[in-house]
Amino acid sequence: AEAAARRRGAVVVVVAARPADDEEYDARRDRDDDDDGAISRRDALGRAMCGVAGVLAMAASPPSVVAAADGKDASETMIPGFLMASSEGTGGGGGGADRGVRGMPVPSKKLGGLTSKIRSVSRIMDELQRDLMQERWDLVEGYPSQLRSYVPVFTSYTDSAFPTDIPTDKGLRVALRYEVGRLFASLERFRSAASRRALDEAYVAYSDMSLHLDRYLRVGGLYTFYDDAVDLERYYGGVAESSLVYADPKKDPALVRDLIVLVRGPEKGRTGIVIGIYPDGSDTCAVKLDRRGGMREVRVVSRTWAAKRLGEQDPDDVFLIPQQGGG
């Protein structure tokens, strides 16, 4: 049940003891993960979601819960209010009382052009998706270096957007560093797959890159909209089956590049494209949903939820992006 909750992104976390130095803890965990080449994608994503939820839960929890988490005994905690504001707001670092967070994280206003630079990575990822799905390996091989050049930008945004010592800022910095670590670890796997022209592996690595970037944007307050509904079934649950024209996902499952409609779950009726199929036995795929509010959300769902759309369809919008130089 816990594994299923993690995949859905539910905020049910195991808050365990951690070193006081969050940066040292996060860096050591990244090194341990990189050394373990056998770690499965399901474990990695599960730990990522648990790690993000855990630090944010600690930031959101009353002092008594945080104090218990610093002890030696681990306990399972249900967090009813995601990213609730700190009631004290008395942390050092100037203006902490004004930067309590409720709902969507609120970055500092002293960011210069960092916000637009971080969001521009989504555009690069769209272009990479286009070239990868067209198997333009000559172009694909240039993306890892281009994306790697953004490491200082991510670092600067993380430290500048949430600079104070209030619990929410500290928790968000740890969460964002974790997602950056996972993003660039996935990028290295992508680089390796691309050098070998291993298309399926490249799709999986690209999917993980997209997932961790999406989480960074969401946790970092970089989304252009915020929907505080945890379960959207009330919006999509009433969609009539007759209005959804799709192939039976059990008899004719969607493959990478297929345009899909979600036919089950809380977001039934939303459309997108399959960007990767995970070979770990989980029978899941990564779906990049169609653009909403300028953003393209990424979901990992059961393949039985993502049904291939039938009939004439407009292409995914990444294929409408012109090639550099008109190629």
Side-chain angles (χ1 to χ4, degrees), residues 124-147 187 189-199 201-203 205-206 209 323:
I124 297 172
M125 290 292 287
D126 285 344
E127 294 174 347
L128 173 53
Q129 177 194 332
R130 175 202 62 200
D131 293 339
L132 179 62
M133 289 184 172
Q134 293 177 340
E135 298 185 50
R136 295 287 304 273
W137 294 109
D138 57 323
L139 300 176
V140 166
E141 289 181 339
Y143 283 96
S145 296
Q146 182 183 10
L147 290 167
L187 177 62
R189 290 193 288 110
F190 179 85
R191 185 198 300 272
S192 174
S195 69
R196 294 179 282 110
R197 303 294 195 267
L199 186 59
E201 290 181 35
Y203 281 144
Y206 174 81
M209 291 161 58
Q323 293 278 2

Side-chain angles (χ1 to χ4, degrees), residues 7 41-42 200 203-204 207 246-265 270 273-287 299-309:
R7 185 173 296 285
R41 183 208 60 84
R42 191 184 309 182
D200 290 341
Y203 281 144
V204 170
S207 298
Y246 57 87
D248 186 331
K250 293 183 179 179
K251 296 179 180 179
D252 186 14
L255 303 176
V256 176
R257 290 196 59 173
D258 281 338
L259 301 175
I260 60 91
V261 58
L262 296 179
V263 295
R264 295 182 60 191
R270 293 196 66 183
I273 186 172
V274 176
I275 58 174
I277 297 173
Y278 292 107
D280 59 0
S282 62
D283 197 33
T284 55
C285 62
V287 172
R299 300 282 187 269
V300 176
V301 300
S302 168
R303 294 187 71 189
T304 61
W305 288 23
K308 188 189 310 183
R309 282 184 270 163

Side-chain angles (χ1 to χ4, degrees), residues 76-100:
E76 183 167 298
T77 308
M78 177 70 82
I79 307 300
F82 187 63
L83 285 178
M84 297 295 287
S86 171
S87 58
E88 288 81 4
T90 55
D98 297 330
R99 300 220 44 254

Side-chain angles (χ1 to χ4, degrees), residues 22 52 54-64 66-67 70 83-93 96-97 99-101 162-175:
D22 287 334
V52 172
V55 294
L56 294 179
M58 289 181 68
S61 301
S64 59
V66 176
D70 287 334
L83 285 178
M84 297 295 287
S86 171
S87 58
E88 288 81 4
T90 55
R99 300 220 44 254
V101 178
F162 305 102
T164 76
D165 291 330
I166 64 174
T168 46
D169 275 16
K170 293 174 69 175
L172 286 164
R173 286 198 299 272
V174 174

Side-chain angles (χ1 to χ4, degrees), residues 92-119:
D98 297 330
R99 300 220 44 254
V101 178
R102 182 184 183 90
M104 187 173 183
V106 182
S108 166
K109 295 180 180 179
K110 300 178 181 180
L111 295 173
L114 289 174
T115 298
S116 60
K117 288 180 181 178
I118 293 288
R119 285 179 177 151

